[in-house]
């Protein structure tokens, strides 16, 4: 008896663009690979170079050794790469004291925030840092200045609780991977209470975070569900999921790999949105699309809201010699 072939239900996938790797992530990964090529393994990397297990495991297979603290690296001239999130000033100082070969993979847009905070501090201003407590980028930014020079602000309620003299000189900077809308609310609350506060000349939330959130805002209202490809500890990926939820998407989920999909949440779909956090490689997006193609008759439509052409060069010590 011939079996009747199962007819797959149709599914339109709206693929957000831009999505996935940003210039800072590409540079950070390239730095580790260039260091492995130049110096050979092992190359020590303090903290996950970017927040994605797939990327970390791929670099580990090539000879990168991931450590959480500098004292896990042996004494001597072993290369140690600092992650894209940035580190407190005490970390490179400790590396120099031990003669380690320190290579800084901090995203240049994070470094921009560090420099802004330093300038405000030199000018006598208390720095308000809008960000998430404990995130490596926030730890790194606060660690650029002496204790007490930076006050962390997470919510508008934190602004209301500030107890400062009316004549205190203030400035604010932000983590680069925040929700654009949430941050606008916190900034507005700061400006209402402290109209003379100094802000960045150009917003600190990076172009990649902004662009990926804008694409999700465009797509989410048209979808029955939306998947953000990314890691649980990735701030920019978590914000994309929240943006989709707020934009009216009934189901928005953060998924690391296709094997993590809870299929009970993705039945009876007609339209699915897919995007990826700035530290998620495109191969994982393709994996997700393939998983849906096994269950649905998929058509893919690209929804683009911005073109990105940003490029950050490698640090000088890893650039190929001039011809």
């Amino acid at each position: 008896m011939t079996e009747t072939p199962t007819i797959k239900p149709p599914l339109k996938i709206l693929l957000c663009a831009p999505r996935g790797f940003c210039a800072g992530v590409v540079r950070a990964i390239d730095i580790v690979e260039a260091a492995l090529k130049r110096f050979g393994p092992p190359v020590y990397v303090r903290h996950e170079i970017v927040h994605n297990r797939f990327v970390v495991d791929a670099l580990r297979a090539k000879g990168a050794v991931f450590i959480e603290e500098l004292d896990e690296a042996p004494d001597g001239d072993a290369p140690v790469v600092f992650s894209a999130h940035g580190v407190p000033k005490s970390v490179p100082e400790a590396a120099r004291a031990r003669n380690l070969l320190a290579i800084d993979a901090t995203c240049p847009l994070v470094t921009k925030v560090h420099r802004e905070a330093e300038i405000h501090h030199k000018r006598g201003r208390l720095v308000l840092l809008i960000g998430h407590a404990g995130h490596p980028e926030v730890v790194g930014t606060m660690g650029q200045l002496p204790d007490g020079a930076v006050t962390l602000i997470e919510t508008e309620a934190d602004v209301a609780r500030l107890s400062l003299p009316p004549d205190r000189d203030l400035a604010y900077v932000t983590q680069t991977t925040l929700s654009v809308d949430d941050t606008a609310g916190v900034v507005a609350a700061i400006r209402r209470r402290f109209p003379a506060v100094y802000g960045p000349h150009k917003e600190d939330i990076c172009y990649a975070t902004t662009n990926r959130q804008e694409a999700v805002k465009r797509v989410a209202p048209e979808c029955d569900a939306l998947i953000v490809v990314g890691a649980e500890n990735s701030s920019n990926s978590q914000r994309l999921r929240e943006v989709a939820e707020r934009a009216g998407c009934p189901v928005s989920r953060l998924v690391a790999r296709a094997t993590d999909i809870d299929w009970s949440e993705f039945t009876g779909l007609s339209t699915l949105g897919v995007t990826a956090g700035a530290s998620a490689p495109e191969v994982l997006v393709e994996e997700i699309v393939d998983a849906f193609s096994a269950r649905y008759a998929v058509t893919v439509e690209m929804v683009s809201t911005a073109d990105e052409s940003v490029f950050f060069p490698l640090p000088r010590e890893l650039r190929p010699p001039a011809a």
Side-chain angles (χ1 to χ4, degrees), residues 2 16 18 44 64 70 78 80 95 121 136 153 176 190 205 218-219 243-244 249 269 291 295 299 303 310:
T2 304
C16 295
Y44 294 88
L70 208 58
V80 179
H121 177 65
I153 301 292
T176 63
I190 291 172
I205 296 177
R218 171 86 63 87
V219 164
V243 167
C249 188
L269 303 179
R295 291 164 173 81
T299 57
V303 179
V310 179

Side-chain angles (χ1 to χ4, degrees), residues 44-259:
Y44 294 88
V45 184
R46 186 184 180 277
H47 193 64
E48 291 184 343
I49 186 69
V50 297
H51 283 157
N52 188 276
R53 177 56 54 189
F54 182 89
V55 171
V56 168
D57 286 346
L59 292 173
R60 184 180 284 117
K62 295 177 181 179
V65 176
F66 290 88
I67 58 177
E68 282 305 309
E69 298 299 338
L70 208 58
D71 58 14
E72 296 174 54
D75 288 330
D77 57 357
V80 179
V81 179
F82 304 142
S83 80
H85 313 96
V87 295
K89 276 190 173 179
S90 58
V91 174
E93 289 169 359
R96 282 192 294 271
R98 293 179 52 202
N99 293 318
L100 298 172
L101 176 58
I103 303 170
D104 190 2
T106 301
C107 174
L109 298 179
V110 174
T111 301
K112 164 188 171 287
V113 177
H114 291 179
R115 298 292 84 81
E116 288 172 347
E118 287 180 321
I119 289 168
H120 290 310
H121 177 65
K122 287 177 182 175
R123 293 176 179 172
R125 299 165 189 154
L126 175 67
V127 177
L128 306 179
L129 169 60
I130 304 170
H132 296 298
H135 188 277
E137 183 183 330
V138 166
V139 173
T141 300
M142 295 187 76
Q144 302 304 305
L145 300 179
D147 288 348
V150 182
T151 296
L152 181 63
I153 301 292
E154 295 191 82
T155 65
E156 293 180 43
D158 290 340
V159 179
R161 283 192 290 267
L162 284 172
S163 178
L164 297 170
D167 59 346
R168 183 69 167 99
D169 275 354
L170 295 175
Y172 74 86
V173 297
T174 82
Q175 185 179 334
T176 63
T177 55
L178 299 177
S179 159
V180 174
D181 295 335
D182 284 350
T183 305
V186 176
V187 168
I190 291 172
R191 290 197 176 281
R192 281 194 299 271
R193 276 207 66 191
F194 309 103
V197 68
Y198 290 86
H201 293 298
K202 184 180 179 183
E203 289 305 314
D204 289 334
I205 296 177
C206 82
Y207 77 93
T209 297
T210 302
N211 290 347
R212 281 148 189 73
Q213 289 180 19
E214 285 302 314
V216 167
K217 287 178 187 176
R218 171 86 63 87
V219 164
E222 303 177 31
C223 297
D224 304 308
L226 185 139
I227 283 179
V228 179
V229 184
E232 285 288 333
N233 61 342
S234 166
S235 174
N236 73 85
S237 299
Q238 289 283 9
R239 305 295 81 76
L240 290 173
R241 183 193 59 74
E242 293 168 0
V243 167
E245 198 172 67
R246 291 177 185 176
C249 188
V251 177
S252 59
R253 296 291 180 265
L254 182 62
V255 175
R257 301 292 301 267
T259 50

